[in-house]
Amino acid sequence: MNRTIITVVGKDTVGIIARVCTYLADNKVNILDISQTIVQGYFNMMMIVDTNGMKKHFGEMAEELHRLGEDIGVDIKCQREEIFDKMHRI
């Protein structure tokens, strides 16, 4: 399984989850876990996804999600799980 951590942060607006999830579904990316909160008008979402079915390279997906985030006014970042784990190990 190729797991990726996706974070989405920004001012809350209608359709953020729908746009991100539509992109993932269109690219055969499976959502394994998702958590989202809204605090005083700011949206925060963290997803763990499986990219095994995706035909694109990781970098291409990360860039396309970054541009999608710019279009909808949020910051979207992607990290491979193994890099995320190593960065956050104590």
Side-chain angles (χ1 to χ4, degrees), residues 2 7 10-12 24 30 38 57-58 62 64 66 69 76 82:
N2 294 322
T7 57
K11 202 101 157 104
D12 186 37
L24 296 174
N30 186 35
I38 299 169
H57 293 288
F58 175 84
E64 288 176 354
H66 177 76
I76 302 177
E82 62 269 14

Side-chain angles (χ1 to χ4, degrees), residues 25-67:
D26 288 347
N27 287 280
K28 308 289 189 253
V29 176
N30 186 35
I31 298 169
L32 301 172
D33 201 356
I34 184 171
S35 171
Q36 65 94 28
T37 59
I38 299 169
V39 178
Q40 295 186 5
Y42 289 94
F43 178 85
N44 183 32
M45 178 168 66
M46 181 175 170
M47 308 170 89
I48 301 172
V49 301
D50 177 11
T51 58
N52 265 351
M54 184 176 67
K55 302 296 181 212
K56 297 179 180 181
H57 293 288
F58 175 84
E60 187 177 0
M61 176 191 72
E63 179 57 34
E64 288 176 354
L65 281 169
H66 177 76
R67 281 185 295 196

